[in-house]
Amino acid sequence: MPHAYSSAYKSTIASVSAPEAPLVLLEITHPSFTSPIRVANDTQDITCNGNLYIGYPFRFIPPDDFENQSPKATLSIDNIGKDLMYWIETSGGGSGSLVKIMSIMRSQPDLIEWDITLELSNVRTSTPEITSDLGYENLYSKSAISKKYRPDNSPGLF
């Protein structure tokens, strides 16, 4: 479905030297969280729709669009502090997490120009950074039948 962007946003993304750059916001939710983690890809905090997003630079590569594969995005965050590593270890690698990515303009922080919600998967940690894939579960790789009757698990049928 097409989205109607504001004229300021359209001119900013079309301009080579715009007066301001769009900001990318992350909102990470997990069943074990009491409230979502909110981060802005900037060095300054920003409030969007009454929610405070902590300024913390990260790298986000938007989903690709290739035929015959699910769209995948990549998120990389610097590995500083023990809190993020503790959560990754206790949550089974962030299993069950959803990441909402939003784009706004600093001059109009309550107007979300676009957003997408993706599932967090394949979290990889190293000393310099934590990297993960963002996308959707591939339903085509799942079996349509929950139990298959084979000689090894149902010998009485064979």
Side-chain angles (χ1 to χ4, degrees):
M1 185 165 104
H3 186 80
Y5 299 113
S6 67
S7 59
Y9 188 78
K10 286 192 277 189
S11 65
T12 298
I13 60 175
S15 177
V16 175
S17 58
E20 66 175 326
L23 285 176
V24 177
L25 306 177
L26 287 183
E27 191 170 278
I28 304 172
T29 58
H30 187 267
S32 68
F33 292 166
T34 56
S35 63
I37 295 173
R38 293 183 175 99
V39 182
N41 192 10
D42 200 9
T43 56
Q44 299 174 354
D45 298 349
I46 189 164
T47 301
C48 175
N49 294 320
N51 297 315
L52 178 66
Y53 290 80
I54 305 300
Y56 189 82
F58 57 84
R59 288 150 308 285
F60 171 70
I61 300 170
D64 49 22
D65 190 17
F66 295 116
E67 230 177 283
N68 299 325
Q69 77 177 32
S70 297
K72 292 283 182 199
T74 304
L75 175 65
S76 298
I77 301 173
D78 291 339
N79 189 3
I80 59 170
K82 297 177 184 173
D83 295 336
L84 191 56
M85 280 304 297
Y86 177 76
W87 171 73
I88 289 171
E89 290 171 356
T90 57
S91 67
S95 178
S97 297
L98 293 176
V99 179
K100 183 176 182 181
I101 300 107
M102 298 163 279
S103 181
I104 64 166
M105 299 296 289
R106 185 171 282 285
S107 59
Q108 299 174 340
D110 292 333
L111 177 62
I112 297 173
E113 297 290 347
W114 65 263
D115 67 352
I116 185 171
T117 301
L118 301 167
E119 296 173 5
L120 183 78
S121 63
N122 195 19
V123 176
R124 300 167 302 279
T125 60
S126 64
T127 303
E129 68 182 2
I130 298 168
T131 306
S132 66
D133 294 333
L134 303 172
Y136 301 107
E137 183 178 8
N138 186 1
L139 297 177
Y140 295 116
S141 68
K142 289 190 163 204
S143 176
I145 303 166
S146 61
K147 178 145 179 141
K148 294 181 183 178
Y149 295 101
R150 302 182 309 266
D152 61 321
N153 68 6
S154 303
L157 294 176
F158 294 93

